[in-house]
Amino acid sequence: MNRREFIAGVSATALAAWSGQISFAQNSESRLHIVVFWEEGFPSIDGFSFSRASLESAFKGHDLRFAGVAGLGAALDPKTDVFINPYGSAFPQSAWKSILKYLLVGGNLVNLGGRPFSVPVGDDLKPRTPLTSYHKRLGITQYFKTYGKDLERFIVKTDGISIANPKRVFESYLKLSTVNDFPDEAGSDGRREASVTPLAFGFKPGSTNEFPSTAPIVQIDRLRGDFAGGRWIFANFEGAIDAATIGTLVRTAAIGGHQIVARTRYARLGSDENPVVDFELVAPKNDISVVAATVRITDASGRPVASLAIPEGTRSTQKLKSLMPGYYEGAVNIEIKSSIGTSARESAGFGFWVTDGKPIGNGTPITADRHFLYRDGEPFPVTGTTFMSPSVARRFLLEPSVSEWNAEFLRMKNAGVNMIRTGIWTGWSLYLDEKGSVREEVLRAWEAFVLTAAKYDIPVIFTFYAFMPEMYGGENAYLDPKSIAGQKRFLSAFASRVKGARAIIWDLINEPSFANPKMLWSCRPNYDKFEAAAWKEWLIKRYAEPDPSRLAAVLRDRWQLREDEDAFALPALKDFDSINIHVDRRPMRVVDFRLFAQDIFTDWARTMRETLRAAGNAEQLVMVGQDEAGTNDSPSTQFHGDAMDLTGLHNWWANDDLLWDSVVTKNPNRANLVQETGLMFYEKQDGSAWRTDTQAADLLERKLALSLGASGAGFIQWIWNINPFMDNENEAAIGFCRVDGSFKEEFERFRAFAKFANQNRRLFKGKIDEDIVLVIPHSQMFSARNLAVEATKRAVRALHYDLKHSCRAVSEYRLETLLAEERAPLFLIMPAPRSISDAGWANLLKLVEKGSTLIVSGYFEADEHFRRAERVGKMFGFSGSRPVNRREAGAVFSGEKLQRVERADTLGGPREYQHGMGKIVWHPVPLENGDTTGPIAEFYKPVLRQALNPFIPYESWSDVLIRVTKFESVLLYTCINETGDQQTLSFTEPGYGFDVTIPAGRANMLFVDKRTGKV
């Protein structure tokens, strides 16, 4: 049974969760000019059923005009205070231009029911095909359905609004910016063109007031840009609505678009400083004035500590007396009056911290081993999210709202969030003063943020840069001393303010490239003097040849250069092209440049880590947050991870490669945190959403499961609050909490996995390394013709899906990490390498001598520059290669593979060669370059079974991932169902058995006690 509650009966916590100001519309004697679109026979779609007479009754005493299609344009004149569309999703197509013209000059709108402006209706009164193009012009990108039967109760914002038993509620995604403030920055935000206030919330059974499922009535105040000055109210549901509610909505809309913001001059004050509270009224049409304003401040316990009136005509308080250390919260209460005579009382909240000069600190430290993070000596599987601000998004340190942070940290804590990630993604120049130092108010905001997180014992990851470090007037972000000096100043400023903070992790850069800044996400030279000098120095060190003439000869041989070509020149951009005929390109330089890029980035990361340690403290961990580009030629965790305390993976786009991402980015010696995971938004060809809310939640669930189950240290979801203040429809769709304050279904899945991980965190103890190691053929991956990415993907899928064996990974350039282990891995798999460095091959042979079995395929009698080198030719009696045919040894090679893939020119199938205590098992056909995994599995299966009893004795579930992770006392089963049908799996381990049912597209995780078999 649905019930309603008024805001007066809601807890303070729930009140704080409401975004925007809290307003109470007043009945007024003012005569409003209201235009209602009304056409007899016009279809109401997803809306309400009421008569014209009921509208006339609701607005007695006001100027109420009903206009049909023909007269609507003339009726919507400058005197119109509010325009009402009562037909839900339907609107008159031929009147669109008139409606848009009215809204563009700041007209106020109330749309009753449905999905506003989604179903155009022709003059014949017949609905046309639903479209997204009309509502997208208004900043509404998508709508999603929530069924009324799924809702238990409602909370409404003020008396006069009633909601009961709606059939459906339509949730919207909103994009509230149409410009980029920094067009040259990939993560730029834009001006905030509107604010959104929910006027009602709906809740699913069992949910608390903190986590509403839907907002059936929303208010959008247009503040800047197109539509500035307008206030739009959408009753986005289908069902019933009464005249009193319509009256309240229209009177509220008539006030017009505006916003009130309050904050203290500094977010963190010293105990000898006096707080000053500033507030601002944004009213684009200058038709709203402040009649009276007061400020009230309370301490952390809610006890009043200050209350006074703000003098008329000012926008700040007098200086208040200094306060004792602690957290304080307050509100500026304002009475406003519009030019039409309508008045309202509104409140803008703020918060601030007072400290006593002691170092800013927070909580017990975070430590890390090879696999997990720890707190208080116990495993700490991360179940986190990214958080900045609901109201200002990425500008949270420039325009801090501490009371908003306080409310959201409480909600995150109650949702199972145990770590948050934040930082600076854009506009770095805004953080600096005229001398190039970080502004004091920014650093105080950072201190206040850390203090607020510490209040709820939530560790913080702070990210400094995005995509490329700032150059601070230099020429090269990674090599110019001027750039490095600016970066050190910037990092040190933040670290020095939180020296006492122990639960801080520094993230140097979000998704970095080593690139020309104009060619992000691709490894390309910048061609500046610093890079040229570093390149030459790196070549001398790499080839151990200080004599320039002798080194030039070495390079000409390796890179196939003529005598008249500069041996030390950086690769040309065309050298990176993967083409059929090279002409004058020199692609052999490419692998060296990409190795150079990895080393230079690693050196830069190490330098910045030392900078942070010197300015902060040694307990603060340092990492780099890399995305899927790190699985190719961007800075890779396999390389820079050695210089960091832990590594990061952002698994975004490649939804079919989630397991592979996790495997190949796991550095053997570092915990790997899936530090940014979520869903990119996709549309169908007609502009509608590709996935429903439930389908999106299923995908996120699979990502969360793999973040823990595929050798990860946990997950940080992107992002808690959707950010609508970017001119980017994708960003405006990503996040748990919608702009209207309601939560998506994805959030429910997050809470379930967070509960599982946090309740069982002690079981993540003593992880046992996998017996199978995938060797990443980086020399081939870094070449101009990269087939290694696909080959490693096929190998990982064949192992895990076809054979149910788990593996870990290491780069061919980091094999010394395996040699340092107490015993050699049982199995090494190097999928279709085609080339391998001399050092890499030598290390592989050492591991085989120690007892490993190396499984390798294809022709690879070449070093990293594709010069002829002896690998297995003599062992197995062949010397040459030939192009593959379409079908070889059961594998299919299609398309361009017939021009790019080679096999050993020898007859027969797989064969073995004993070497020391181990052996090499080789197949002449590079099966991992084929189109399917079946032949790969057939090649691996008999070899793996010679030494391993298959842990799970079934291979028929090829589309169900069952990954088993071994711990000290338990086994962690991660089961992912990638089929369209529900699957029931029967596990029959020695001594025990159990069944697991997984719905289509879903995931399941369970721990099994090794000794008892208890689940």
Short mmCIF file of all heavy atoms in Angstrom, two decimals, residues 787-838:
data_model
loop_
_atom_site.label_atom_id
_atom_site.label_comp_id
_atom_site.label_asym_id
_atom_site.label_seq_id
_atom_site.Cartn_x
_atom_site.Cartn_y
_atom_site.Cartn_z
N LEU A 787 49.49 -8.32 -33.49
CA LEU A 787 48.51 -9.40 -33.41
C LEU A 787 48.45 -10.01 -32.02
O LEU A 787 47.69 -10.93 -31.76
CB LEU A 787 48.85 -10.49 -34.43
CG LEU A 787 48.80 -10.08 -35.91
CD1 LEU A 787 49.31 -11.20 -36.78
CD2 LEU A 787 47.39 -9.69 -36.32
N ALA A 788 49.29 -9.47 -31.12
CA ALA A 788 49.41 -10.07 -29.79
C ALA A 788 48.20 -9.80 -28.92
O ALA A 788 47.85 -10.62 -28.06
CB ALA A 788 50.67 -9.55 -29.10
N VAL A 789 47.54 -8.67 -29.09
CA VAL A 789 46.36 -8.37 -28.28
C VAL A 789 45.30 -9.44 -28.51
O VAL A 789 44.77 -10.04 -27.58
CB VAL A 789 45.82 -6.96 -28.60
CG1 VAL A 789 44.42 -6.78 -28.01
CG2 VAL A 789 46.75 -5.89 -28.04
N GLU A 790 45.00 -9.71 -29.78
CA GLU A 790 43.99 -10.72 -30.08
C GLU A 790 44.44 -12.10 -29.61
O GLU A 790 43.64 -12.88 -29.07
CB GLU A 790 43.70 -10.75 -31.57
CG GLU A 790 42.63 -11.77 -31.94
CD GLU A 790 42.34 -11.83 -33.42
OE1 GLU A 790 42.90 -11.01 -34.18
OE2 GLU A 790 41.55 -12.71 -33.82
N ALA A 791 45.71 -12.41 -29.79
CA ALA A 791 46.21 -13.73 -29.41
C ALA A 791 46.07 -13.96 -27.91
O ALA A 791 45.67 -15.05 -27.46
CB ALA A 791 47.67 -13.88 -29.84
N THR A 792 46.40 -12.95 -27.10
CA THR A 792 46.28 -13.12 -25.64
C THR A 792 44.82 -13.21 -25.22
O THR A 792 44.49 -13.95 -24.29
CB THR A 792 46.99 -11.97 -24.91
OG1 THR A 792 46.51 -10.71 -25.40
CG2 THR A 792 48.49 -12.04 -25.10
N LYS A 793 43.94 -12.48 -25.91
CA LYS A 793 42.52 -12.59 -25.60
C LYS A 793 42.01 -14.00 -25.84
O LYS A 793 41.28 -14.58 -25.02
CB LYS A 793 41.70 -11.60 -26.44
CG LYS A 793 41.86 -10.15 -26.06
CD LYS A 793 41.02 -9.26 -26.98
CE LYS A 793 41.19 -7.79 -26.64
NZ LYS A 793 40.39 -6.93 -27.55
N ARG A 794 42.38 -14.57 -26.98
CA ARG A 794 41.93 -15.93 -27.30
C ARG A 794 42.49 -16.93 -26.28
O ARG A 794 41.80 -17.87 -25.86
CB ARG A 794 42.41 -16.31 -28.69
CG ARG A 794 41.82 -15.46 -29.80
CD ARG A 794 40.56 -16.06 -30.35
NE ARG A 794 40.15 -15.36 -31.54
CZ ARG A 794 38.95 -14.82 -31.72
NH1 ARG A 794 38.03 -14.92 -30.79
NH2 ARG A 794 38.63 -14.21 -32.85
N ALA A 795 43.74 -16.75 -25.90
CA ALA A 795 44.35 -17.68 -24.95
C ALA A 795 43.64 -17.64 -23.60
O ALA A 795 43.35 -18.68 -23.00
CB ALA A 795 45.83 -17.36 -24.78
N VAL A 796 43.37 -16.44 -23.12
CA VAL A 796 42.70 -16.29 -21.82
C VAL A 796 41.31 -16.90 -21.86
O VAL A 796 40.88 -17.61 -20.94
CB VAL A 796 42.64 -14.80 -21.41
CG1 VAL A 796 41.70 -14.60 -20.23
CG2 VAL A 796 44.03 -14.29 -21.07
N ARG A 797 40.58 -16.68 -22.95
CA ARG A 797 39.23 -17.23 -23.04
C ARG A 797 39.26 -18.75 -23.16
O ARG A 797 38.44 -19.45 -22.54
CB ARG A 797 38.47 -16.60 -24.21
CG ARG A 797 37.01 -17.02 -24.28
CD ARG A 797 36.20 -16.12 -25.18
NE ARG A 797 35.81 -14.89 -24.54
CZ ARG A 797 34.70 -14.74 -23.80
NH1 ARG A 797 33.92 -15.78 -23.57
NH2 ARG A 797 34.41 -13.59 -23.27
N ALA A 798 40.19 -19.29 -23.94
CA ALA A 798 40.29 -20.75 -24.06
C ALA A 798 40.60 -21.39 -22.72
O ALA A 798 40.01 -22.41 -22.35
CB ALA A 798 41.36 -21.11 -25.09
N LEU A 799 41.51 -20.79 -21.97
CA LEU A 799 41.87 -21.34 -20.67
C LEU A 799 40.70 -21.32 -19.70
O LEU A 799 40.39 -22.31 -19.04
CB LEU A 799 43.04 -20.55 -20.08
CG LEU A 799 44.43 -20.88 -20.60
CD1 LEU A 799 45.43 -19.84 -20.12
CD2 LEU A 799 44.86 -22.28 -20.13
N HIS A 800 40.04 -20.17 -19.60
CA HIS A 800 39.05 -20.00 -18.54
C HIS A 800 37.67 -20.53 -18.90
O HIS A 800 36.99 -21.12 -18.07
CB HIS A 800 38.94 -18.51 -18.18
CG HIS A 800 40.11 -17.98 -17.43
ND1 HIS A 800 41.28 -17.62 -18.05
CD2 HIS A 800 40.30 -17.77 -16.10
CE1 HIS A 800 42.14 -17.19 -17.15
NE2 HIS A 800 41.58 -17.28 -15.96
N TYR A 801 37.24 -20.31 -20.13
CA TYR A 801 35.89 -20.71 -20.51
C TYR A 801 35.85 -22.15 -21.01
O TYR A 801 34.96 -22.91 -20.64
CB TYR A 801 35.34 -19.77 -21.58
CG TYR A 801 34.96 -18.41 -21.05
CD1 TYR A 801 35.91 -17.43 -20.83
CD2 TYR A 801 33.63 -18.11 -20.74
CE1 TYR A 801 35.56 -16.19 -20.34
CE2 TYR A 801 33.26 -16.87 -20.24
CZ TYR A 801 34.24 -15.92 -20.05
OH TYR A 801 33.90 -14.69 -19.54
N ASP A 802 36.81 -22.52 -21.87
CA ASP A 802 36.78 -23.88 -22.42
C ASP A 802 37.34 -24.91 -21.45
O ASP A 802 36.82 -26.02 -21.36
CB ASP A 802 37.58 -23.92 -23.73
CG ASP A 802 36.94 -23.10 -24.81
OD1 ASP A 802 37.14 -21.87 -24.82
OD2 ASP A 802 36.22 -23.66 -25.65
N LEU A 803 38.42 -24.56 -20.75
CA LEU A 803 39.11 -25.53 -19.91
C LEU A 803 38.94 -25.31 -18.42
O LEU A 803 39.33 -26.17 -17.62
CB LEU A 803 40.61 -25.53 -20.26
CG LEU A 803 40.95 -25.85 -21.72
CD1 LEU A 803 42.45 -25.75 -21.94
CD2 LEU A 803 40.45 -27.24 -22.08
N LYS A 804 38.38 -24.16 -18.01
CA LYS A 804 38.13 -23.86 -16.59
C LYS A 804 39.42 -23.83 -15.78
O LYS A 804 39.45 -24.22 -14.62
CB LYS A 804 37.16 -24.87 -15.96
CG LYS A 804 35.90 -25.11 -16.76
CD LYS A 804 35.13 -23.84 -17.07
CE LYS A 804 33.87 -24.13 -17.86
NZ LYS A 804 33.31 -22.96 -18.52
N HIS A 805 40.50 -23.35 -16.38
CA HIS A 805 41.76 -23.15 -15.68
C HIS A 805 42.04 -21.66 -15.55
O HIS A 805 41.89 -20.91 -16.52
CB HIS A 805 42.93 -23.80 -16.44
CG HIS A 805 42.95 -25.29 -16.38
ND1 HIS A 805 42.86 -25.99 -15.19
CD2 HIS A 805 43.07 -26.23 -17.36
CE1 HIS A 805 42.92 -27.28 -15.44
NE2 HIS A 805 43.03 -27.47 -16.75
N SER A 806 42.47 -21.22 -14.38
CA SER A 806 42.80 -19.81 -14.16
C SER A 806 44.28 -19.57 -14.48
O SER A 806 45.11 -20.47 -14.33
CB SER A 806 42.52 -19.42 -12.71
OG SER A 806 41.17 -19.61 -12.39
N CYS A 807 44.59 -18.36 -14.89
CA CYS A 807 45.98 -18.02 -15.16
C CYS A 807 46.29 -16.63 -14.64
O CYS A 807 45.40 -15.84 -14.33
CB CYS A 807 46.28 -18.12 -16.66
SG CYS A 807 45.60 -16.78 -17.66
N ARG A 808 47.57 -16.34 -14.53
CA ARG A 808 48.06 -14.99 -14.28
C ARG A 808 48.92 -14.59 -15.46
O ARG A 808 49.05 -15.36 -16.42
CB ARG A 808 48.85 -14.93 -12.97
CG ARG A 808 49.92 -16.00 -12.81
CD ARG A 808 50.55 -15.96 -11.43
NE ARG A 808 51.38 -17.14 -11.19
CZ ARG A 808 52.64 -17.09 -10.77
NH1 ARG A 808 53.22 -15.91 -10.57
NH2 ARG A 808 53.32 -18.19 -10.56
N ALA A 809 49.53 -13.40 -15.46
CA ALA A 809 50.26 -12.94 -16.63
C ALA A 809 51.51 -12.17 -16.24
O ALA A 809 51.60 -11.60 -15.14
CB ALA A 809 49.37 -12.05 -17.50
N VAL A 810 52.47 -12.16 -17.17
CA VAL A 810 53.69 -11.37 -16.99
C VAL A 810 54.21 -11.02 -18.37
O VAL A 810 54.06 -11.79 -19.33
CB VAL A 810 54.75 -12.15 -16.18
CG1 VAL A 810 55.23 -13.38 -16.92
CG2 VAL A 810 55.93 -11.26 -15.81
N SER A 811 54.82 -9.85 -18.49
CA SER A 811 55.40 -9.42 -19.76
C SER A 811 56.67 -10.22 -20.06
O SER A 811 57.41 -10.62 -19.15
CB SER A 811 55.75 -7.93 -19.71
OG SER A 811 56.54 -7.55 -20.81
N GLU A 812 56.94 -10.42 -21.34
CA GLU A 812 58.21 -11.06 -21.72
C GLU A 812 59.40 -10.24 -21.23
O GLU A 812 60.49 -10.78 -21.05
CB GLU A 812 58.29 -11.24 -23.23
CG GLU A 812 58.54 -9.94 -24.01
CD GLU A 812 58.80 -10.16 -25.47
OE1 GLU A 812 57.84 -10.35 -26.24
OE2 GLU A 812 59.99 -10.13 -25.85
N TYR A 813 59.20 -8.94 -21.00
CA TYR A 813 60.28 -8.08 -20.53
C TYR A 813 60.38 -8.06 -19.00
O TYR A 813 61.21 -7.34 -18.45
CB TYR A 813 60.09 -6.65 -21.04
CG TYR A 813 60.29 -6.51 -22.53
CD1 TYR A 813 59.20 -6.44 -23.39
CD2 TYR A 813 61.56 -6.48 -23.07
CE1 TYR A 813 59.37 -6.31 -24.75
CE2 TYR A 813 61.75 -6.35 -24.44
CZ TYR A 813 60.66 -6.26 -25.28
OH TYR A 813 60.84 -6.14 -26.64
N ARG A 814 59.53 -8.82 -18.32
CA ARG A 814 59.56 -8.85 -16.85
C ARG A 814 59.63 -10.27 -16.32
O ARG A 814 59.19 -10.56 -15.21
CB ARG A 814 58.33 -8.13 -16.29
CG ARG A 814 58.31 -6.63 -16.56
CD ARG A 814 59.42 -5.93 -15.78
NE ARG A 814 59.40 -4.49 -15.96
CZ ARG A 814 60.09 -3.83 -16.89
NH1 ARG A 814 60.83 -4.50 -17.75
NH2 ARG A 814 60.05 -2.51 -16.96
N LEU A 815 60.18 -11.18 -17.10
CA LEU A 815 60.23 -12.59 -16.70
C LEU A 815 61.15 -12.83 -15.51
O LEU A 815 61.06 -13.86 -14.84
CB LEU A 815 60.66 -13.45 -17.88
CG LEU A 815 59.58 -13.64 -18.96
CD1 LEU A 815 60.19 -14.22 -20.22
CD2 LEU A 815 58.46 -14.54 -18.45
N GLU A 816 62.03 -11.89 -15.21
CA GLU A 816 62.90 -12.05 -14.04
C GLU A 816 62.09 -12.12 -12.75
O GLU A 816 62.56 -12.68 -11.75
CB GLU A 816 63.92 -10.91 -13.97
CG GLU A 816 63.36 -9.53 -13.74
CD GLU A 816 62.95 -8.83 -15.04
OE1 GLU A 816 62.96 -9.49 -16.11
OE2 GLU A 816 62.62 -7.64 -14.97
N THR A 817 60.86 -11.58 -12.76
CA THR A 817 60.02 -11.68 -11.56
C THR A 817 59.66 -13.14 -11.28
O THR A 817 59.52 -13.53 -10.12
CB THR A 817 58.74 -10.85 -11.72
OG1 THR A 817 57.98 -11.34 -12.83
CG2 THR A 817 59.07 -9.38 -11.94
N LEU A 818 59.48 -13.94 -12.34
CA LEU A 818 59.19 -15.36 -12.14
C LEU A 818 60.44 -16.11 -11.69
O LEU A 818 60.36 -17.04 -10.88
CB LEU A 818 58.65 -15.98 -13.43
CG LEU A 818 57.33 -15.41 -13.98
CD1 LEU A 818 56.90 -16.20 -15.21
CD2 LEU A 818 56.23 -15.43 -12.93
N LEU A 819 61.59 -15.71 -12.22
CA LEU A 819 62.83 -16.37 -11.81
C LEU A 819 63.13 -16.12 -10.34
O LEU A 819 63.80 -16.94 -9.69
CB LEU A 819 63.99 -15.85 -12.67
CG LEU A 819 64.00 -16.35 -14.12
CD1 LEU A 819 64.99 -15.56 -14.95
CD2 LEU A 819 64.32 -17.84 -14.18
N ALA A 820 62.62 -15.01 -9.81
CA ALA A 820 62.86 -14.70 -8.40
C ALA A 820 61.93 -15.47 -7.47
O ALA A 820 62.14 -15.48 -6.25
CB ALA A 820 62.68 -13.19 -8.18
N GLU A 821 60.89 -16.10 -8.01
CA GLU A 821 59.97 -16.86 -7.17
C GLU A 821 60.64 -18.15 -6.68
O GLU A 821 61.58 -18.66 -7.29
CB GLU A 821 58.69 -17.18 -7.94
CG GLU A 821 57.85 -15.94 -8.25
CD GLU A 821 56.57 -16.28 -9.00
OE1 GLU A 821 56.34 -17.49 -9.26
OE2 GLU A 821 55.82 -15.35 -9.33
N GLU A 822 60.13 -18.68 -5.58
CA GLU A 822 60.72 -19.85 -4.94
C GLU A 822 60.75 -21.05 -5.88
O GLU A 822 61.72 -21.81 -5.90
CB GLU A 822 59.96 -20.18 -3.66
CG GLU A 822 60.62 -21.24 -2.81
CD GLU A 822 59.91 -21.43 -1.48
OE1 GLU A 822 59.27 -20.47 -0.98
OE2 GLU A 822 59.98 -22.54 -0.94
N ARG A 823 59.71 -21.24 -6.64
CA ARG A 823 59.68 -22.34 -7.61
C ARG A 823 59.15 -21.81 -8.93
O ARG A 823 58.36 -20.86 -8.97
CB ARG A 823 58.83 -23.51 -7.12
CG ARG A 823 57.36 -23.22 -7.01
CD ARG A 823 56.58 -24.47 -6.61
NE ARG A 823 55.15 -24.20 -6.49
CZ ARG A 823 54.30 -24.29 -7.50
NH1 ARG A 823 54.73 -24.59 -8.71
NH2 ARG A 823 53.00 -24.05 -7.31
N ALA A 824 59.56 -22.43 -9.99
CA ALA A 824 59.11 -22.03 -11.31
C ALA A 824 57.64 -22.40 -11.48
O ALA A 824 57.17 -23.41 -10.96
CB ALA A 824 59.95 -22.72 -12.39
N PRO A 825 56.86 -21.58 -12.22
CA PRO A 825 55.46 -21.94 -12.47
C PRO A 825 55.36 -23.27 -13.20
O PRO A 825 56.27 -23.65 -13.96
CB PRO A 825 54.96 -20.80 -13.36
CG PRO A 825 55.94 -19.70 -13.20
CD PRO A 825 57.25 -20.33 -12.87
N LEU A 826 54.30 -24.00 -12.97
CA LEU A 826 54.14 -25.29 -13.65
C LEU A 826 54.04 -25.10 -15.15
O LEU A 826 54.61 -25.88 -15.92
CB LEU A 826 52.89 -26.00 -13.12
CG LEU A 826 52.96 -26.54 -11.69
CD1 LEU A 826 51.64 -27.20 -11.33
CD2 LEU A 826 54.10 -27.53 -11.54
N PHE A 827 53.31 -24.05 -15.57
CA PHE A 827 53.07 -23.87 -17.00
C PHE A 827 53.29 -22.42 -17.40
O PHE A 827 52.89 -21.50 -16.69
CB PHE A 827 51.64 -24.27 -17.38
CG PHE A 827 51.35 -25.73 -17.14
CD1 PHE A 827 50.68 -26.14 -16.00
CD2 PHE A 827 51.77 -26.69 -18.04
CE1 PHE A 827 50.43 -27.48 -15.77
CE2 PHE A 827 51.52 -28.03 -17.82
CZ PHE A 827 50.86 -28.42 -16.68
N LEU A 828 53.91 -22.23 -18.55
CA LEU A 828 54.04 -20.93 -19.20
C LEU A 828 53.38 -21.04 -20.56
O LEU A 828 53.65 -21.99 -21.31
CB LEU A 828 55.52 -20.57 -19.38
CG LEU A 828 56.39 -20.49 -18.13
CD1 LEU A 828 57.86 -20.46 -18.52
CD2 LEU A 828 56.02 -19.26 -17.31
N ILE A 829 52.49 -20.10 -20.87
CA ILE A 829 51.85 -20.10 -22.19
C ILE A 829 52.21 -18.80 -22.89
O ILE A 829 51.92 -17.72 -22.39
CB ILE A 829 50.32 -20.24 -22.07
CG1 ILE A 829 49.95 -21.60 -21.47
CG2 ILE A 829 49.66 -20.04 -23.42
CD1 ILE A 829 48.47 -21.81 -21.29
N MET A 830 52.87 -18.90 -24.03
CA MET A 830 53.21 -17.74 -24.84
C MET A 830 52.45 -17.85 -26.16
O MET A 830 52.82 -18.59 -27.05
CB MET A 830 54.72 -17.66 -25.08
CG MET A 830 55.13 -16.34 -25.71
SD MET A 830 56.91 -16.03 -25.64
CE MET A 830 57.54 -17.43 -26.55
N PRO A 831 51.33 -17.12 -26.28
CA PRO A 831 50.44 -17.31 -27.42
C PRO A 831 50.95 -16.63 -28.69
O PRO A 831 51.09 -15.42 -28.75
CB PRO A 831 49.13 -16.69 -26.95
CG PRO A 831 49.52 -15.68 -25.94
CD PRO A 831 50.78 -16.17 -25.30
N ALA A 832 51.25 -17.42 -29.71
CA ALA A 832 51.59 -16.95 -31.05
C ALA A 832 52.47 -15.71 -31.04
O ALA A 832 52.10 -14.66 -31.55
CB ALA A 832 50.29 -16.66 -31.82
N PRO A 833 53.68 -15.78 -30.48
CA PRO A 833 54.47 -14.57 -30.27
C PRO A 833 55.01 -13.92 -31.54
O PRO A 833 55.16 -12.71 -31.60
CB PRO A 833 55.61 -15.05 -29.38
CG PRO A 833 55.74 -16.50 -29.66
CD PRO A 833 54.35 -16.98 -29.94
N ARG A 834 55.35 -14.70 -32.53
CA ARG A 834 55.97 -14.26 -33.80
C ARG A 834 57.38 -13.71 -33.61
O ARG A 834 58.27 -13.92 -34.41
CB ARG A 834 55.08 -13.24 -34.53
CG ARG A 834 55.63 -12.82 -35.90
CD ARG A 834 55.95 -14.00 -36.78
NE ARG A 834 56.57 -13.69 -38.05
CZ ARG A 834 57.89 -13.58 -38.25
NH1 ARG A 834 58.72 -13.72 -37.21
NH2 ARG A 834 58.38 -13.34 -39.43
N SER A 835 57.63 -12.97 -32.55
CA SER A 835 58.98 -12.50 -32.23
C SER A 835 59.11 -12.46 -30.72
O SER A 835 58.11 -12.39 -30.00
CB SER A 835 59.23 -11.10 -32.81
OG SER A 835 58.33 -10.16 -32.23
N ILE A 836 60.33 -12.52 -30.24
CA ILE A 836 60.56 -12.38 -28.81
C ILE A 836 61.98 -11.88 -28.62
O ILE A 836 62.90 -12.23 -29.37
CB ILE A 836 60.33 -13.70 -28.05
CG1 ILE A 836 60.47 -13.47 -26.54
CG2 ILE A 836 61.25 -14.80 -28.54
CD1 ILE A 836 60.04 -14.65 -25.69
N SER A 837 62.16 -11.02 -27.63
CA SER A 837 63.48 -10.43 -27.39
C SER A 837 64.47 -11.51 -26.96
O SER A 837 64.09 -12.56 -26.43
CB SER A 837 63.37 -9.37 -26.30
OG SER A 837 62.94 -9.95 -25.08
N ASP A 838 65.74 -11.24 -27.17
CA ASP A 838 66.78 -12.19 -26.77
C ASP A 838 66.72 -12.45 -25.27
O ASP A 838 66.81 -13.60 -24.82
CB ASP A 838 68.15 -11.64 -27.15
CG ASP A 838 68.37 -11.64 -28.66
OD1 ASP A 838 67.67 -12.39 -29.36
OD2 ASP A 838 69.23 -10.87 -29.12
#
